[in-house]
Amino acid sequence: MKTKFSGFLALLLAFMMQITFAQEKTVSGTVSDDSGPLPGVSVVIKGTTHGTETDFDGKYSIKANVGAILQFSYVGMETQEKTVGQSNTINVTLKASANVLEEVVVTAQGIKKSKKALGYAVSTVKSDQIQERASGDVARVLSGKTSGVQINATSGMSGSGTNIIIRGYSSFSQSNQPLFIVDGVPFDSGTNTPDDFVNGNSGSSRFLDLDPNSIASISVLKGLAAATLYGSQGRNGVILITTKDGLTGNVPKKTEVNVTQSFFFNEIASMPDYQNEFGNGFDQAFGWFFSNWGPSFKKDGVAGWGNSINPDPTKGFNPDGTLAHPYWTASAATGIPAAFPQFQGARYKWKPYNSVPNFFRIGTIASTSVNIRGASSDGNVSYNMNYGNHDEKGFTPGNTLRRTNLGMGGRAILSNRFTVNGTINFARTDFKTPPVAASTGNDVFGTGSSVFGALFFTPRSVDLTGLPFQNPVTGGSVYYRQNNSIQNPNWTVHNAQFSQFTNRVFGSFATKYDINDNLNLTYRLGLDFTNEHNTNYQNKGGISDFQETVSGFYRTWDNNNTIWDHTIMLNGNYKLNDDMNISFNTGVTSRSEIFDRQGVNSSGQNVFGVLRHFNFNTQTPIQFSSTRNILGALGQVQWDFKNYLFVTAAGRNDWVSNLSTDNRSLFYPSASASFIPTTAIDGLKSDKFLNYLKIRAGYGTSAGFPTGFPIASTLNLNTRAFQDDAGVNTVTNTTGTTLANPNLKPEQVKEFEVGIEARMFKNRANLQLSAYTRKTTDLIVNRPLDPSTGFTQTQTNIGEIHGEGIEADLGVDIFKAKDANAVGWNTHFNFTANESTVRRLGQGTDIIVFAGFSNLGNAAKVGQPLGVMVGSRIKRDAQGNALVNASGNYVEEFGTFNIGDPNPDWILNTTNTVTYKNFNFSFLFNWTHGGDIYSSTISTLLGRGLITETVDRLNTFILPGVQQSTGQPNDVQINNSSYYFSNILFGPNELQVYDGSVLRLQEVSLGYTLPKKMLEKTPFGSLTFTASGYNLWYDAYNTPKGANFDPNVIGTGVGNGRGFDYLNGPSSKRYGFSIKASF
Amino acid sequence: MKRLYKFLSLVFVCSGIVFYSCETTNLNLTKNPNALTPSQADADFLLNGIQVNFGRLVEDLGERGAQLTRIDYMSGRDYPGVYSPSGFDTDWRRAYQGVLNNIRAMQPIATNASLTKHLGMAQFIEAYTMVSLVDFFGDVPYTEAVTGINNLNPKADSGASIYDAALGLLDQAIANFNAPALGTPQIDFFYAGDFGKWIKAANSLKMKIYMQRRLVDANAIASFNAIVSSGNFISNTADDMDFHWAKSDANPDARHPRYAADYTTSGANNYESNWLMGYMDRNNDPRIRYYFYRQVDGMPGQLDVNGNPVPPDEQTSQCSLTPTPQHYLAGGFTFCGLPDGYWGRDHGDDDGIPPDGFLRTVVGVYPAAGEFDDDSFANRQVNPGNGGGGAGITPIMLASTSHFLLAEVAMVAGDMSTAKSHMAMGIDESIKKVQAFGSGLDPDADPTFEPSALAIASFKTAMGDAFDNAATTDDKWNVLAQQFFVSLFGNGIDAYNFYRRTGYPTTLQPNIEPNPGTFIRSNWYPAAYANTNSNATQKSGVSVQVFWDTNPPSPGFPLSN
C-alpha cells in the first residue's frame, strides 16, 4: 500500500514538474479550522527545513517551487499536504485530528506511551507553566498546577525547603516525598538541615538545583500502577522531569537561541497588623518585658503613661513622656551601661516604633536563562545547551540564594543502528540564611538561635532598628531587656549564619541498539553527585541557655551524596494481527545510594569574629555515612485491541541491601486497563457533544524499604560525655537507643484507581477524573518504646493505613479566539481531596506520635486521620464544661488529646488565561479548605498584646466554664492580658490551634508578545514581555485578621509533620517582570 | 547480531567501570558504620556512662523533690498541672535506658572478667534508682524491664516488691565490694575508689529503705537499728556520697545544672524558695551565705540589709504592689519578698518573668559551686565562670541524713532527748559539710564573711532550745523536720519522702493559689511510659499514694499546701 502510494505520488510529481519546472513563486493563503482562521499553523515545504507560520489572521506566504508539497500542521489537527500548482493561493481548512488525544506521555522508566493507552492518571505540566517564574524552586512553581499534588513551603525564606506530597500520606515513619527522575535517571531531592526542627531547620530541598527555565515538561505519576516500574522508590509518586537537554528528539535544524531575563521584588507577605496604642510592659504598667501589655501611648486615661510618672529618672516616665534609655539602666553585669557611655542619662521616647516592618527589606530576584539548540541538517545529531543564573535576595536580611546552572545534552542516531544520547548538568547553589529555629513565644527553646525567635513580638515601644545591637567592647549581642536576655535579631543577622554551598553534577548516558524493527535494547547510566558544603556558625556573645552557643561555635561539614543507577532493558513491539498489538519492556536495574558526611564542630571562640577552626577551643568530629543498594528486575506487557482497549500488566522485584536475607526481596505487580468507548462504540462520538471518552482502571502495589541500618544493634561511644574531678574528659559507652529489629520487613502499599477522561463540545471542555483507594500495611514505624524496655524506639512493622481520594481536572475554553482581535478565555480547575485514616496500629499500641514532640505533635491514632494533632486540652467536667481555676484561667489537662486535623478537606485551584490580540493575562487562584494549624505566630502576637485584636484591653473577661473547686459557674474576672497571655498563648495547646483554610492569589501575570511584523528587521524571532506577581494576596479567613498569618508553613520542616508553626515561617510575595526573546 | 555483541560489550565495559567490585550490587550492607557494635563494649566505659546518667537522674529528681517541699521554688498554682507527664520523660529514659539497660550490658562483661567492684557499684546504683522511681511514681516496671525485643510492654511490679529486690541488690553489692576484683573501675565519681565507703553507702541506703517503708513494715525499725548497731554506715560527713560535677562549660557541659542555669550572661534562670531563705535568715542559719548568693542588697517593697525600705517596683517585682492573699495573711506567711536582699518567689507563683536575672538571689557555693555570699551584691553579679565554676556536687547519701533518720526513729518511739541529740548531730554534720565549700571554692570571696565558730555554736544552741521549747510534739517534729529540710538543700528526694511519710513540717509556706488541688502524693506516670506501653495506664490523679504512704489522703495531709 505504502509503496503503491509513493509510486503514484512520484508519478504525479514527475508530471507536474514537467510543466512547472523550477518555477519558484510566492504562494499565500489562509489556514482555518471550522471555527475560523487559525494562527500559528506551521507551513513547511516537505523535505526541506524551509517554512513559516500563519499570522494572527491565519494568513501565510511562502516562496516555493511549483510541484513542491506544502505541509500544514497544527497541534490537535490533522496534518494536510498541498502541492503547489498554478494557483498562487492555497487556502486550507484543517480538521480536528481524530487522534487528538494521541498525546504521547513519558511514563515510568522513560517509556513513551500514548496517553489513551494508560490505565492510570498522569498529569503533564508544560514548560510555559514553569518558566519565567519568580521562584527558582521547581516544586513551588509546580504548586497548584496539577491535581493530587500538595506542595507546601517550609517558609517564605529564599532557598527554604519544600514539602511535596502526592495523593496524601501513606506512611508515617518512612518518607512520603516523591521520587524525582530527571532525564530518565534518579535525582536526589532530599533536604539536609543543620539540626532538627527545634534547633535549626533551614536547608534547601535539593530539587532547588534544577533551573525551572531549563525544563521542557514535567509528568507527574501519581498512582502506584503508574510507578510500579520504579519499584519501592516510586511508591510516593514520581515527578518525571524532562529537561531541554534531555529532549533532543525534535529539535529544529536551524540553531535557535532563547533568552529569558527576569527581575522580581521579594517582600514579606505575612506582616502582622500591629496596633499603635499600647507599648511594652504588663498590666498597663511599663517594664522592659517581652510583652506589650504596657501603658498607652497617650498620657491620660486609666492606661495612660501619665500614671507612671516617677521622680527617679531611672524609673518610670518623666513628665515629658520619656523613659530612661534602656542601655543606661541595664544591669551592670550585662556590660551594657559601661559599653555605651553615650546613653548615660539619655532619654528614650515612648512611642510606637515600626520595628518589625523596618527590620525586613525588599529583596530582589534576578534570573537569566539562555537556551541554545540545534541539529545537524539530517536531523541525526542534535544538541541543546542551557545556562541559567538565579540571584535571589530574601526579604530577611542575611538570606540569599544564588544558583548557576550549566547543562548540555545531545543525541546522535548512528548509522549502525545505535542511538546514543546523554546529558550532563552542573549546578552550583549557594544558600545563606540567618539561623531559623523553633520558638513558641519565649524566644527559642532549643540550643540554636533564631532570627525570628523574638522578632515578631518585638514590643511596639522598642526601637529594634534604632538601638545598637552589638557591644562595642566584646562584640556580643545587646538589646533592650535589662538583663540582656534576648538575642538581638540584628545581632543574629550579622553574627550567625547557616550556609549550604552545593556543587552538583548530574546526568545520564543512554544508548539504544535497534535489533530489528520490533526489538531494541537500551542501556542507561545515571549519575548524580552532590557535594553540599555546610557552614553553621555563631560568634561568641550570643544569648542562649546553652553555653556552647554563647561561647561561639563554628561547624563545617560536607555532605557527599552519590546515586549510581544502571538500567538495561529489552523493548519490543509486535503487531499480532490487524487488530492487536503487543509491546513489552523488560530489564534489570541497580541503584546505589552513598551518603557521606565529614566535618568538624568547634566551640569556644577566642578572637571575636574569626571563623576558622584554629580560633576555637575544642573540636569534635562530624562523621556519618550510609550506603544502600537496591536491585530490581522489572517487566511490563501491554496488549491493545483495535485501538480502543489497552491492557497493561507490570511487575517488579526489588532486593535491598539493609535488611536481613529473608526480608530483603519483594515482588510487586500491577495491572491497568484503558477503554475508549468513543472509538469502540459507533455513534457514541459526536462532533458537538462527546468527542472523546476514556475509562480506565488500575491496580498497583509497591513497597517501602527502610533507610539506614535498621537491623544493626549499636553501642555508642562518647569521648566527651563528661569530665572528672581532674578535668579529664570521660569516655562512655552507652547502649544504642534504637532497638535493632532483625525481622523488619518492607512495608506494602496497594492501590486501586479508576478514572475517566473526556473531551466535549468540539474539544472545548476537557475533563479528567480519578478516584482511588490505597492501603498501606506492615508499616515501618519508628515506634517509640517505653524506655523501660531499655530502648526509646525501634523500627517495626505494624498497622494499616487506608487512604482514599479524588482528583479532578477540568479545562474549558470559554471563548476560543476566532481571530487576533477576539478574546480567548481558557479556564482550568483542578480539585484534590484526600483522606488517610489509621485503621490499625497493632501490638497493643493505640497511639504513635511520629512528628513534633511526644506531647505535642502529629500522631497515628486508630480511627483518626493520619497525622492528627495531639496535645493538651482544656480540662472539662463530665458535662463537658470547661474547668477554670481560682485565678480564672483554664485548667490544662495534659495528654495526647486530639487538638486538630492538619489535613485539608480539599484543595481547589483554578487557572484562567485570557488572550486578546497580543496580550495574555492569566492568574492562578488557590483555595485550601480546612486543615488545622497550631500557630505560635498567632498565639504569640495575641498573647503578647501586639496586634489590633488586643487593643480592646481595658475590660475584663470571665472565661465560660465552671470553677474547678466548686463546680459553680465561673465568675472570676481576669484582665485582657491574662486572657491572652495565660490562656491563648501559654494555656492548653488546643487554644493555639486555628483553622488554616486559605484563599490565595498564587500567580497573576500579564504578557505582551510583540507582533511578528515589528520584529522583521530585528534579530529577534519573538519577543515577549511579562509582568507577574506571586502570592500577592491571601486570606486565611478563619484566623485573627491582625496576625495576617500565612498557613503555608511547616514548622517541623520537610517530612511527615504538618500543621505546626513555631514562629519560623514568614511567607513571601514576589512581583516583577521578565523578557523572553528568541533569535 | 554482530552489532548486538558490540552493544553488549560496550554495555559491559561501561558497567564494568562503574559496577567496580560489584559496589552497586552488593546486597549485604547491614552493618552500621556510625557506631560500635555491642560486642565491642568496655566495662569501664559502660560504668562511666552509668554513673553520669545516675548523677543527672538524682540531681533532677532531687530538684523536683525539693520544689515540692519548698526547699526550692516551684512554679504552678495547680499541683496536678505543675509537672506534666512528659516532664518526667527524661528522667524515665535516664533511669531505664541510661542506667538500667547499660547495667545489663555491663554485667556479663564484668562477671566474666571478675570485675566485682564494677558489679557492686552497678548494684548500688540500680537499687537507688529503682527505689527512687517507686518513691516518685509508685508501681513501675522492673522484673520485665530492659529485656529489649523480648518484651516491648513491660508490666509494672509492685513498689513493695521492688523495695525487697533493692535490699537484695544491696546485700549483693556489699558482697561484691568485699570480694577480690581483677580490676577497679577507671573512674569512681563518688568515692574515688574507696570501697569501704561504698559499703557504708550501701548500708545507709538500706537504712533509708527501711525507714521509708516503716509505715507498712513492722520490722522496719528493727532492721534499721540492726545496721545502726553495726556502725558501718555513713555517720560522718567524710563518708558522704556525692556526685561530683566539673568545670567544663561546653563540649562537654559538666557543670552543676543549677550553676549552668543561673550563672549565665543574662543572669539567673531559677528563683530560690522564699520559704527556705526566710526561715534560714530569721534563724541566722550559718549556712545561708553558702546556699544563696544575693545580687542586690534589698528587694522592692522590703527592707534592705541596712534596714531601709526599698520602694516597690512593678517592673522587677510585680507582686511588690499587690496585696497579700488572705490565706497567707491568716497563716502569717511571708509574701512576695524577704528583707535583706533575699529575692526569691513564693511557692506556686507563676507570674511572668520580669528582667530580674541580675537581681534575684541565686544558688550559692553549696552545692552548685557558685559564689559565696560576702555582701558583694551587685559587684559580683552572676556570670559564667564566677565562683567555683560549677564544679559542685549533688548530695546523694549524707551523714546528716543518717542522724535525722535516727532522730525520726527516736521521735516515733517518743524518745525526745535522743531525737534532739541526733538532730543536733545532723545539723552539725550538715554545717561541717557546707563549710567545706567556702572560700576554698570561690577564690574571689571575702573569707571574713564565713560564719565564726561562735555564730555556729549559738545557732546550734538556738535550734536545740527551739526543740526543747516547742509546746507540743507536733512542734518538735516541725523543728526537726525544718532542720532536716535545710540540710537537704541540693537534693530533695529524702525531703519529699519524709514529708509524705510524716506530714511534717506543717509550717511550710502554702501554695499562693488558695485551691491548688491535691498535693502530689505520687507523680504522673511519664508520657513515654503511659503512652507507649500497652500495659501501662496513666494514674487517676496525683493523689495516688505510693505503697509505703498509708497516711490520710490529700487534701488534709500533709498540712501545709
Side-chain angles (χ1 to χ4, degrees), chain A residues 282-283 285-289 315 331-334 416-418 481-485 509 511-513 515 521-523 525 542-543 545 547-548 550-551 564 566 568 590-592 603 618-620 623-625 627-629 631 655-660 664 709 711-717 720-725 729-737 739-742 783-792 794 843-847 854-855 886-887 891 894 896 964-965 981, chain B residues 1 3-4 6-8 10-11 14-15 18-19 22-38 40-42 44-46 48-49 52-53 56 77-78 80-81 84-86 89 92-93 96-97 101-102 105 141 144-149 151-154 186-187 189 243-255 260 265-267 269 313-315 318 352-359 381-384 513-515 527-529 531-534:
Chain A
F282 221 88
D283 289 335
F286 169 74
W288 295 109
F289 294 163
K315 290 192 159 75
S331 292
T334 61
N416 52 1
R417 295 196 193 171
F418 277 106
R481 205 162 144 90
Q482 300 293 277
N483 60 341
N484 200 24
S485 61
F509 163 76
T511 162
K512 185 174 83 162
Y513 175 72
I515 297 168
L521 194 60
T522 58
Y523 166 71
L525 163 68
I543 310 294
D545 290 339
Q547 188 59 25
E548 192 167 336
V550 177
S551 73
W564 280 112
H566 304 273
I568 300 171
S590 82
R591 173 187 163 114
S592 177
S603 66
T618 62
Q619 278 78 32
T620 42
Q623 189 176 38
F624 176 82
S625 46
T627 310
R628 185 175 73 159
N629 290 336
L631 297 184
W655 292 267
V656 73
S657 66
N658 60 350
L659 290 178
S660 59
R664 69 170 51 138
F709 304 95
I711 67 165
S713 291
T714 58
L715 177 80
N716 301 318
L717 184 127
R720 287 177 172 270
F722 205 69
Q723 209 175 53
D724 66 13
D725 279 347
N729 288 335
T730 310
V731 184
T732 63
N733 272 161
T734 45
T735 50
T737 54
L739 177 66
N741 180 3
R783 178 184 166 188
L785 290 178
D786 172 7
S788 78
T789 59
F791 299 87
T792 56
T794 189
Q843 292 190 13
T845 314
D846 47 15
I847 176 169
S854 65
N855 58 342
S887 317
V891 179
F894 295 100
T896 45
Q964 184 182 25
S965 51
F981 184 81
Chain B
M1 230 31 201
R3 277 191 291 238
L4 176 61
K6 244 174 153 180
F7 176 83
L8 286 175
L10 179 68
V11 166
C14 289
S15 38
V18 289
F19 271 88
C22 292
E23 249 174 42
T24 63
T25 54
N26 183 358
L27 283 176
N28 222 342
L29 299 170
T30 55
K31 287 211 178 81
N32 188 340
N34 303 303
L36 299 177
T37 60
Q40 294 167 309
D42 179 288
D44 278 327
F45 293 169
L46 280 167
N48 291 345
V52 172
N53 274 314
R56 292 195 183 277
R77 291 168 160 264
D78 172 45
S84 67
S86 60
D89 284 354
W92 194 260
R93 205 160 52 234
Y96 284 104
Q97 204 271 322
N101 200 42
N102 284 307
E144 294 189 3
V146 293
T147 56
I149 200 142
N151 190 346
L152 298 184
N153 298 297
Q186 182 196 31
I187 303 171
F189 283 100
F243 179 76
H244 292 258
W245 302 90
K247 280 191 177 178
S248 175
D249 64 354
N251 198 15
D253 184 349
R255 298 169 299 165
T265 49
S266 48
N269 282 308
D313 185 345
E314 194 157 34
Q315 189 180 163
Q318 203 190 349
I353 308 298
D356 60 357
F358 290 110
L359 303 172
Q381 282 170 325
V382 294
N383 243 320
E513 167 69 46
N515 301 305
Y529 170 60
N531 297 350
T532 58
N533 184 330
S534 63

Side-chain angles (χ1 to χ4, degrees), chain A residues 101-148:
Chain A
L101 290 156
E102 288 280 4
E103 195 186 338
V104 171
V105 291
V106 182
T107 67
Q109 296 293 356
I111 299 163
K112 288 189 177 123
K113 293 259 177 202
S114 161
K115 194 172 180 188
K116 68 181 176 187
L118 301 181
Y120 44 77
V122 176
S123 291
T124 309
V125 180
K126 293 268 163 37
S127 65
D128 59 347
Q129 288 178 272
I130 305 165
Q131 289 177 0
E132 297 175 71
R133 292 322 201 252
S135 173
D137 179 332
V138 61
R140 294 201 190 167
V141 169
L142 201 57
S143 180
K145 288 174 186 153
T146 168
S147 62

Side-chain angles (χ1 to χ4, degrees), chain A residues 45 135 360 383-384 422 465 499 587 597 623 773 838 911 978 995 1078:
Chain A
I45 300 169
S135 173
F360 290 100
Y383 71 95
N384 183 82
T465 38
S499 71
R597 171 179 297 167
Q623 189 176 38
T773 67
V838 179
T911 305
S978 298
D995 173 44
S1078 69

Side-chain angles (χ1 to χ4, degrees), chain A residues 107-111 184 229-230 240 524 565 567 569 589 634 652:
Chain A
T107 67
Q109 296 293 356
I111 299 163
L229 293 189
Y230 284 115
L240 272 174
R524 193 174 58 228
D565 183 83
T567 309
M569 279 177 56
T589 177
L634 50 99
R652 171 162 167 154

Side-chain angles (χ1 to χ4, degrees), chain A residues 569-623:
Chain A
M569 279 177 56
L570 180 67
N571 311 296
N573 191 345
Y574 287 93
K575 198 173 175 72
L576 299 178
N577 57 37
D578 279 353
D579 294 336
M580 278 191 271
N581 279 301
I582 191 159
S583 66
F584 66 87
N585 314 86
T586 176
V588 288
T589 177
S590 82
R591 173 187 163 114
S592 177
E593 305 154 4
I594 306 151
F595 181 84
D596 186 51
R597 171 179 297 167
Q598 307 282 347
V600 178
N601 174 19
S602 287
S603 66
Q605 191 179 42
N606 287 292
V607 177
F608 181 87
V610 175
L611 295 164
R612 301 295 293 176
H613 287 291
F614 68 75
N615 188 37
F616 289 78
N617 291 333
T618 62
Q619 278 78 32
T620 42
I622 299 171
Q623 189 176 38

